[in-house]
Amino acid sequence: MQQFKLFDTLGFLTINTAFQAKQNLNSIFLRNGIDASMDQFVILSVLLINNGIVQKALSEQCCKSDSNITRILNVMENKELIERKKGKDARSRSIFITQKGTLLYQRLAPLAAAYNSQLFEGFSEEEIIIYRGLLMRMRENLMKREGERK
């Protein structure tokens, strides 16, 4: 029987690369004197587009579990970056970015943009388009499989 070579699979390489990219961006934020994480940056980015989104939809957009998004939002609320307000339904809570959250986003965005440029240094525009397309197809495959399990 041939051994499964996990470390050579594209799935493992994709996950490992994404994890390393996330860790590096977190380090860049800290080196610039900013106590924020990539997860917080993603949430602030979503709120700038969709302020007042309900927590469930936010967790889906950020691809985070309900418990993980709650933990991150607790930290962000303590830092006064966001505020949660009860929605029409007592169980739903809407999330709003604060002025402080907007100012933090404005500090983080240029750092994230510069880092993103570094990630794809040496890639042609065509390679980036192909890579994006492949990742989107992979995500569609994953979502299709998840839908089949429900």
Side-chain angles (χ1 to χ4, degrees), residues 103-120:
L103 292 173
L104 177 61
Y105 173 85
Q106 291 169 347
R107 290 182 64 202
L108 297 174
L111 297 171
Y115 180 62
N116 191 61
S117 294
Q118 289 174 355
L119 280 174
F120 293 99

Side-chain angles (χ1 to χ4, degrees), residues 37-55:
S37 68
M38 189 185 99
D39 290 330
Q40 292 173 9
F41 176 65
V42 169
I43 290 169
L44 293 173
S45 299
V46 170
L47 292 176
L48 281 172
I49 297 166
N50 199 354
N51 204 21
I53 190 172
V54 295
Q55 188 167 325

Side-chain angles (χ1 to χ4, degrees), residues 64-122:
K64 297 285 180 197
S65 67
D66 292 340
S67 59
N68 202 2
I69 203 83
T70 297
R71 182 185 56 74
I72 297 165
L73 291 175
N74 286 341
V75 169
M76 293 178 75
E77 193 170 37
N78 287 337
K79 291 180 175 183
E80 299 176 344
L81 303 173
I82 56 116
E83 54 186 16
R84 294 186 253 202
K85 297 179 181 174
K86 286 192 173 36
K88 297 170 190 152
D89 178 349
R91 292 173 293 160
S92 73
R93 293 166 66 178
S94 297
I95 314 302
F96 295 87
I97 192 168
T98 63
Q99 179 69 23
K100 192 172 179 180
T102 301
L103 292 173
L104 177 61
Y105 173 85
Q106 291 169 347
R107 290 182 64 202
L108 297 174
L111 297 171
Y115 180 62
N116 191 61
S117 294
Q118 289 174 355
L119 280 174
F120 293 99
E121 208 169 279

Side-chain angles (χ1 to χ4, degrees), residues 114-129 131:
Y115 180 62
N116 191 61
S117 294
Q118 289 174 355
L119 280 174
F120 293 99
E121 208 169 279
F123 284 65
S124 70
E125 280 300 312
E126 182 182 5
E127 288 173 318
I128 292 170
I129 290 167
Y131 182 61

